[in-house]
Amino acid sequence: MIIEMKNIRKEFDGLEVLKDISFGVDNGEVVSIIGPSGSGKSTLLRCATFLETIDGGEIVYMGEKAAHTDESGRAVYVHPKELRRFRSYCGLVFQQFNLFPHYSVLKNLTDAPIEVQHRSREEAEATAMELLGKMGIADKAKAYPYQLSGGQQQRVAIARALAMKPQILFFDEPTSALDPELTGEVLKVIRQLAEEKMTMVVVTHEMPFAKAVSNRVIFMDGGVIVEQGDPREVFENPREERTKQFLRVFER
Amino acid sequence: MTLSTMLSTMAAGMLRTCGIFLLTLVGSLPLGMIVALLRKSRFSVVRLLIRAYISVIRGTPLMLQLLVWYFGPYYLFGWSIRGWRFPALIIGFVLNYAAYFAEIYRGGIESIPVGQYEACEVLGYSKSQTFMRIILPQVIKRIMPSVTNEVITLVKDTSLAFTLAYQEVFSLAKQISASQTSFAPFVIAGVFYFIANYAVAFAMERIEKALDYYR
Ligand SMILES: Nc1ncnc2c1ncn2[C@@H]1O[C@H](COP(=O)(O)OP(=O)(O)O)[C@@H](O)[C@H]1O
Ligand SMILES: [Mg+2]
């Protein structure tokens, strides 16, 4: 298991957003999370990547506890210094890309490896160029984010996350901010990563993509996992009424 | 008094004006950043003090502040204020401009999307790396127009040093004009301020251009 989240609870000002959620991701597994807006998908990813702190439950990376619940029922995290190590295990690709506008594409990819991971410039740049090549945008290394299309920017963001060599990569609706004609190029690189056995968790509304690429699909609604399983099972024979209702919206 | 002695007397004043201008910038540009950051301190006492400081500075005339800095030590503590004129002047200017710059910085910092901080957090940047490498450069670009306005105001505000009878170009112009019953000193001072502002505007424009490589 790369990550295990057990009995995760999270609330915002008394509103329970994650209600006792448990799930794990195996090495090389690709998991898609689907569900209506407001169901807690982003919050789950943000808890897994330590952007939000959980109120209860346990987060375990590679068998090591990053957070657990003590006897009094409060969630306790490891020391901030330790947490930096856990942070390095995971990457997150945002819906809005969040590239650094004042850095060139290449610097977006090399700055954190050099400044945070203290890797050599030569090695970081070689890794970055290789990743840009894989993303099909090697010719954009010197460009600035504003000079790129949305699809290209999101591919840079994926490369930036991969440049940190994470054990697992989370995607929060990576194509939702893109024009429809640009989603394909982003989904293509994610699919390619799946073929290379990159461990990934993808929140998406692209049902055909989820069905084709993932090993497992999780359907979330109202802060709980309603149903999960083999993508074919979930998409073609959903057991739960709520899943059926949700999927019906996506049928044309 | 010939025009050339008038000019050379006033040149000394121009140098003093430039001195006030440069020292104020050197002091208040960084101090403003410290004030802006302290304004978001986790200690509520600090936040309260900073807010009080900013609102007092912005709510009272700079001329009055200069007088308080100069005469305050004498009236409050009975201290001698000999040799205190120039330090009081610079303290008054620096603290005044730091408050205005702090507000500009704060606006700039708050305009940076939260996604930039989140990207940094996920990539493992420390708080200070996030600020120095990612946030601050973007803030500087965004606040350049407001800073330019403030710096141009400062060029003109240096003339308030006459309040403490400091012999910068404006004080001298007034004195020479009165003693020589001549209008020329004011014309010279006016031309000086105009050229100074022109130079400032030119320099700031160059900086803005240099930051134009991204959006
Ligand atoms: N920072 C926050 N403060 C308060 N409420 C929040 C915050 N983030 C999310 N929520 C609420 O939590 C619920 C789940 O949100 P989210 O995880 O973004 O859902 P999803 O990604 O599935 O659309 C929503 O009701 C949302 O309004
Ligand atoms: Mg979301």
Side-chain angles (χ1 to χ4, degrees):
Chain A
M1 285 276 185
I2 300 285
I3 185 178
E4 263 184 285
M5 299 185 80
K6 296 181 198 163
N7 309 102
I8 302 294
R9 284 188 308 101
K10 172 71 184 170
E11 51 182 64
F12 288 115
D13 331 295
L15 176 78
E16 219 175 8
V17 172
L18 300 179
K19 303 168 185 166
D20 201 32
I21 288 214
S22 299
F23 86 113
V25 184
D26 266 324
N27 195 2
E29 201 181 11
V30 178
V31 177
S32 291
I33 302 181
I34 60 172
S37 134
S39 55
K41 308 181 296 296
S42 295
T43 305
L44 183 63
L45 258 52
R46 292 167 61 84
C47 288
T49 52
F50 307 105
L51 282 177
E52 299 279 1
T53 51
I54 55 172
D55 294 317
E58 208 171 285
I59 302 176
V60 183
Y61 269 98
M62 337 257 282
E64 269 186 286
K65 270 183 206 167
H68 70 278
T69 306
D70 66 8
E71 300 84 37
S72 64
R74 280 181 323 132
V76 189
Y77 280 79
V78 293
H79 189 272
K81 251 191 201 148
E82 294 272 301
L83 205 56
R84 294 191 75 171
R85 185 163 45 84
F86 284 100
R87 279 215 162 90
S88 74
Y89 293 152
C90 58
L92 176 61
V93 173
F94 301 86
Q95 189 177 330
Q96 301 293 345
F97 329 139
N98 296 341
L99 292 175
F100 303 135
H102 60 307
Y103 283 171
S104 69
V105 165
L106 186 65
K107 185 139 195 207
N108 263 279
L109 268 62
T110 56
D111 197 61
I114 293 170
E115 298 298 327
V116 176
Q117 296 181 327
H118 306 296
R119 283 153 51 187
S120 78
R121 177 170 302 277
E122 298 71 50
E123 187 274 332
E125 283 182 355
T127 306
M129 286 314 298
E130 191 191 323
L131 283 167
L132 288 176
K134 255 166 74 171
M135 299 290 139
I137 39 176
D139 56 326
K140 301 291 183 194
K142 288 204 173 71
Y144 283 83
Y146 80 93
Q147 297 167 316
L148 306 181
S149 72
Q152 291 169 332
Q153 288 188 48
Q154 189 61 299
R155 284 183 279 159
V156 174
I158 294 171
R160 180 178 69 176
L162 289 169
M164 299 296 282
K165 309 198 167 163
Q167 301 292 323
I168 180 169
L169 193 48
F170 295 88
F171 295 77
D172 194 356
E173 302 195 29
T175 59
S176 293
L178 299 177
D179 294 334
E181 71 269 22
L182 299 177
T183 59
E185 59 190 63
V186 171
L187 295 179
K188 202 178 111 194
V189 300
I190 301 176
R191 186 188 295 245
Q192 191 184 322
L193 290 172
E195 280 158 15
E196 295 169 17
K197 294 289 172 223
M198 178 74 206
T199 312
M200 296 186 287
V201 176
V202 188
V203 171
T204 184
H205 293 299
E206 303 285 337
M207 298 307 161
F209 167 80
K211 193 171 163 181
V213 173
S214 40
N215 308 105
R216 181 153 51 100
V217 173
I218 292 177
F219 171 62
M220 273 180 74
D221 193 11
V224 298
I225 293 178
V226 174
E227 180 167 354
Q228 63 173 311
D230 184 88
R232 241 182 247 130
E233 283 293 306
V234 175
F235 283 115
E236 279 158 26
N237 286 309
R239 277 163 299 164
E240 303 290 330
E241 191 52 39
R242 271 199 279 177
T243 320
K244 286 178 195 163
Q245 264 178 18
F246 174 73
L247 288 174
R248 219 168 281 146
V249 181
F250 286 89
E251 279 164 14
R252 324 245 145 115
Chain B
M1 196 184 258
T2 62
L3 190 67
S4 73
T5 41
M6 200 180 278
L7 266 173
S8 69
T9 315
M10 286 185 73
M14 293 175 194
L15 274 178
R16 293 197 194 98
T17 295
C18 292
I20 301 172
F21 174 78
L22 290 175
L23 282 175
T24 303
L25 281 188
V26 166
S28 62
L29 282 170
L31 182 63
M33 185 52 77
I34 295 169
V35 172
L37 294 176
L38 285 180
R39 201 172 188 253
K40 307 223 280 182
S41 158
R42 54 203 156 107
F43 304 108
S44 57
V45 187
V46 176
R47 289 200 304 269
L48 209 73
L49 283 173
I50 293 293
R51 290 181 71 138
Y53 154 65
I54 291 175
S55 67
V56 168
I57 292 285
R58 300 214 302 176
T60 59
L62 174 54
M63 196 187 284
L64 181 74
Q65 292 165 23
L66 292 175
L67 289 169
V68 166
W69 284 111
Y70 185 47
F71 293 111
Y74 173 73
Y75 285 113
L76 288 175
F77 311 111
W79 294 348
S80 157
I81 54 175
R82 194 179 306 149
W84 175 241
R85 191 191 309 274
F86 188 66
L89 195 63
I90 296 304
I91 291 175
F93 269 103
V94 166
L95 289 183
N96 181 276
Y97 272 81
Y100 285 96
F101 284 132
E103 286 298 275
I104 292 174
Y105 294 153
R106 182 176 66 98
I109 291 171
E110 283 173 1
S111 76
I112 304 296
V114 55
Q116 292 289 305
Y117 291 92
E118 294 184 342
C120 289
E121 206 175 330
V122 170
L123 291 169
Y125 285 98
S126 68
K127 284 240 158 68
S128 67
Q129 284 176 323
T130 300
F131 187 74
M132 297 306 290
R133 304 189 66 79
I134 308 300
I135 306 300
L136 187 58
Q138 298 183 56
V139 169
I140 290 174
K141 180 181 167 89
R142 285 179 190 216
I143 62 175
M144 277 315 284
S146 322
V147 170
T148 302
N149 279 336
E150 213 54 47
V151 174
I152 285 175
T153 307
L154 172 61
V155 172
K156 294 177 277 186
D157 269 358
T158 52
S159 63
L160 286 173
F162 90 91
T163 329
L164 304 190
Y166 182 71
Q167 306 262 310
E168 42 68 67
V169 70
F170 182 73
S171 297
L172 283 174
K174 259 180 47 166
Q175 283 169 22
I176 298 172
S177 170
S179 67
Q180 306 289 312
T181 51
S182 160
F183 188 64
F186 288 132
V187 176
I188 297 171
V191 169
F192 166 74
Y193 284 118
F194 187 81
I195 292 174
N197 266 330
Y198 198 84
V200 165
F202 179 78
M204 298 305 273
E205 200 175 305
R206 290 294 288 269
I207 300 177
E208 280 185 51
K209 279 248 169 65
L211 294 174
D212 248 0
Y213 67 92
Y214 74 93
R215 268 177 223 149

